[in-house]
Amino acid sequence: MQPLLKVDGVTLQYRVGEKLVTATYRVSFDVLKSDRFVLLGPSGCGKSTLLKAVGGYHAPAEGRIVLNGKAVSGPGPDRIFVFQEFDQLLPWKTVTENIVFALTASGKLARVQALERAASYVEKVNLTEFAHAYPHTLSGGMKQRAAIARAMAMEPDILLMDEPFAALDALTRVRMQEELLQLWEDTKFTVLFVTHSIPEAIRVGNRIALLSPHPGQLKAEVNSPTDEARVQELLFGGAHA
Amino acid sequence: MPERPEIFHDIAPRTDVVAQPLSTWQRIYASAAARKAVLLVVLALVWEVYARRLNNPLLFPSFSSTVSALFESLSSGEIPRAAGYTLLLLIKGYSAGLLLAGLLTALAAATRWGSDLLEILTSMFNPLPSIALLPLALIWFGLGDGSIIFVLVHAVVWVVALNTFAGFRAVSPTLRMVGQNYGLSRPGYIARILIPGAFPSILTGLKVGWAFCWRTLIAAELVFGVSSGSGGLGWFIFERKNQLLIPDVFAGLLTVIVFGLLVENLIFGTIERRTVRRWGMQN
């Protein structure tokens, strides 16, 4: 099967003052269609930078990122980001209008069709009651649901999720993970998911890439479900093949 | 430790207690307009009491005599005519200033040279009092509205441009990335992400710019009002002082103040409620 996303020997560097810091070093992996591919690693392993590079916000110093046979060269609506921050929703637009904005700004749909699709995705994430609420009136979990609805309504080739549940309380977090899996059962979207939580990686992913820090290098790729002890051993244990 | 039984409750859903309406008194107390009205009444009372105790209408007329002078000038049509004249000049100067500020900020948002230019120009001209340019303007543009509009533009443009640009810079990186993610063009990005994202500080710029504009205009009229043919409010105040009609002077000043209050509370207040407050970007 042809991979949907090919990350091929990617080295990412960024400047901090006078120094050039290497975030990831020659990382390669393939994401297939309908994968729930998780990048897991401790902070400093460059997983978020890697995701931003796939998003097109950061050009690799070495290697290539190829989506659907085309090299990624900048941000675009074929890869939609869901950020960790709650302020990713436009505060001057309601939940519905945020989704409509995404669909019309990208030229994907005209306003009338956009409204229809927005309504259906608002329903999918159980926000119908808050469809016309402004983001600041929502709780953290609802904001993330709205952001996920906005991203999914775009029906992108791949969803890029950067620790979307990290700022939520533990109870909400577990519920959101379940909801995400239900949505996946519905539409079988492809997602590249970054997290530093081993249980979250195991719950959410069907394939987990384990990264080591300073600089970020790929240690292993395992299939999920798997057990936490094994992932921990692979991440922090000694010499594993 | 004694053995304790586990406890279970049957809870009926009570949506009625989640959100309850406020009482009338709570609502009045929560309204800024009501609180401000009370303060205004108190200030007017203090004025009245002080003026009566001073008992020197030539130095400090009482609130009631000022108000009656105001009504006289209002009904004689003098203040409406002067205020109308001043207001027209204000609108011309303010809108020209906003236009120029918009151009400068667009340039600054587009290129690095533009932002350097804006920074240099604002640091040079923002501290310069506009009224100090009036003598020069009179030489350049002659004795007419042109010179006054020139100083008004100067009063508005720097503070509006500075605030707008500072607001652009303060738009969160996440929102910027969202804008790029959905493939907005450069003008679309400015119009749909930067301007609404920076709206709290744009609004501050508009308010400060309006205040600068208004006070510069009154000052310019006070000093050179007669030069531009018919006089505005500033000229009205100046003339009445020469005739020692002090209650009229106070009435003129009161008109200036009332205009300030109206614009601040009605126009800007409404904009604020409908935008930044509604969006939760300002409390």
Side-chain angles (χ1 to χ4, degrees):
Chain A
M1 194 173 170
Q2 190 70 14
L4 176 75
L5 175 77
K6 200 170 174 55
V7 172
D8 187 12
V10 168
T11 300
L12 294 168
Q13 293 176 317
Y14 56 88
R15 276 176 55 181
V16 178
E18 298 288 294
K19 278 189 204 148
L20 202 58
V21 176
T22 302
T24 67
Y25 186 69
R26 296 191 178 162
V27 171
S28 302
F29 58 84
D30 289 347
V31 178
L32 304 184
K33 199 164 163 28
S34 293
D35 254 345
R36 302 186 310 275
F37 199 102
V38 176
L39 296 173
L40 173 69
S43 48
C45 74
K47 54 194 189 302
S48 280
T49 317
L50 196 56
L51 198 71
K52 290 211 167 72
V54 176
Y57 296 110
H58 200 309
E62 200 184 9
R64 291 185 331 140
I65 298 170
V66 182
L67 180 75
N68 268 334
K70 268 195 290 184
V72 165
S73 62
D78 51 347
R79 290 145 288 146
I80 296 295
F81 239 100
V82 176
F83 299 92
Q84 176 183 347
E85 291 83 7
F86 291 153
D87 71 344
Q88 63 190 301
L89 297 171
L90 310 180
W92 53 92
K93 289 185 183 295
T94 62
V95 170
T96 303
E97 284 298 328
N98 258 286
I99 301 174
V100 170
F101 161 83
L103 291 167
T104 53
S106 58
K108 202 150 186 129
L109 289 180
R111 194 176 159 81
V112 181
Q113 291 97 305
L115 273 167
E116 268 173 39
R117 196 189 281 191
S120 88
Y121 276 93
V122 163
E123 200 192 326
K124 268 196 173 77
V125 297
N126 303 321
L127 278 179
T128 313
E129 210 179 317
F130 298 92
H132 302 292
Y134 282 94
H136 74 102
T137 60
L138 304 179
S139 70
M142 291 190 218
K143 282 182 198 166
Q144 290 312 80
R145 272 198 212 118
I148 290 170
R150 181 174 73 181
M152 289 192 36
M154 289 290 290
E155 293 173 2
D157 293 337
I158 186 167
L159 275 171
L160 308 174
M161 298 191 151
D162 187 6
E163 307 197 31
F165 309 140
L168 299 172
D169 64 274
L171 291 175
T172 312
R173 196 173 177 173
V174 170
R175 227 174 90 199
M176 297 284 293
Q177 290 162 355
E178 267 164 26
E179 286 181 14
L180 187 72
L181 289 175
Q182 269 164 24
L183 287 170
W184 184 84
E185 290 294 338
D186 257 19
T187 52
K188 302 277 196 266
F189 53 83
T190 316
V191 59
L192 185 57
F193 192 106
V194 162
T195 183
H196 60 245
S197 148
I198 297 174
E200 181 166 80
I202 292 171
R203 267 170 157 279
V204 167
N206 68 328
R207 194 162 170 87
I208 306 172
L210 308 175
L211 292 153
S212 70
H214 309 297
Q217 281 175 294
L218 197 59
K219 268 192 141 176
E221 267 186 61
V222 297
N223 288 322
S224 190
T226 179
D227 60 287
E228 286 187 32
R230 175 160 171 257
V231 173
Q232 241 166 41
E233 170 71 21
L234 283 168
L235 263 180
F236 305 112
H240 253 277
Chain B
M1 275 272 225
E3 180 80 7
R4 281 169 298 175
E6 291 181 335
I7 302 171
F8 301 95
H9 292 290
D10 274 330
I11 303 172
R14 284 288 302 270
T15 43
D16 53 325
V17 290
V18 175
Q20 283 167 314
L22 297 175
S23 72
T24 322
W25 178 241
Q26 275 173 318
R27 237 176 298 164
I28 291 172
Y29 190 73
S31 136
R35 291 196 307 264
K36 281 181 185 167
V38 170
L39 284 177
L40 280 179
V41 170
V42 170
L43 286 175
L45 269 178
V46 170
W47 176 359
E48 183 70 29
V49 169
Y50 177 74
R52 289 205 178 184
R53 283 190 51 190
L54 196 67
N55 198 19
N56 187 345
L58 211 54
L59 270 187
F60 198 84
S62 70
F63 178 67
S64 47
S65 59
T66 302
V67 169
S68 69
L70 180 64
F71 276 111
E72 245 164 66
S73 309
L74 274 177
S75 54
S76 74
E78 272 175 290
I79 281 191
R81 193 193 43 74
Y85 179 80
T86 301
L87 212 60
L88 195 66
L89 265 184
L90 181 87
I91 291 169
K92 283 184 194 163
Y94 192 58
S95 40
L98 291 191
L99 197 70
L100 193 61
L103 285 177
L104 274 172
T105 341
L107 197 67
T111 69
R112 201 174 276 194
W113 283 100
S115 68
D116 289 344
L117 178 71
L118 182 65
E119 263 169 39
I120 290 182
L121 287 180
T122 44
S123 52
M124 274 162 62
F125 291 121
N126 201 25
L128 192 67
S130 317
I131 200 76
L133 286 177
L134 192 57
L136 197 62
L138 287 172
I139 296 174
W140 287 348
F141 301 102
L143 302 172
D145 291 356
S147 350
I148 292 196
I149 290 174
F150 175 78
V151 291
L152 292 188
V153 168
H154 177 272
V156 175
V157 66
W158 308 117
V159 65
V160 173
L162 201 65
N163 272 286
T164 308
F165 193 54
F168 281 6
R169 285 194 171 163
V171 172
S172 90
T174 317
L175 281 185
R176 288 166 188 276
M177 286 203 274
V178 167
Q180 291 171 330
N181 201 174
Y182 294 107
L184 284 173
S185 64
R186 192 75 202 170
Y189 177 69
I190 292 178
R192 301 180 73 169
I193 299 288
L194 287 187
I195 291 181
F199 208 69
S201 60
I202 292 177
L203 202 58
T204 307
L206 291 179
K207 273 173 158 175
V208 178
W210 134 258
F212 278 14
C213 194
W214 185 228
R215 71 168 80 153
T216 303
L217 178 53
I218 299 297
E221 283 183 349
L222 262 176
V223 190
F224 297 96
V226 72
S227 62
S228 50
S230 68
L233 269 178
W235 181 243
F236 174 89
I237 294 169
F238 185 70
E239 216 179 27
R240 294 308 147 107
K241 188 224 88 186
N242 284 348
Q243 299 161 2
L244 285 181
L245 294 169
I246 304 304
D248 277 17
V249 172
F250 270 66
L253 288 172
L254 201 60
T255 315
V256 172
I257 293 171
V258 167
F259 256 110
L261 279 176
L262 284 182
V263 171
E264 177 81 29
N265 286 295
L266 288 187
I267 299 180
F268 286 115
T270 309
I271 296 176
E272 220 171 68
R273 261 198 318 281
R274 297 217 171 150
T275 56
V276 289
R277 295 244 175 123
R278 191 168 177 202
W279 305 335
M281 294 168 87
Q282 199 178 73
N283 296 312

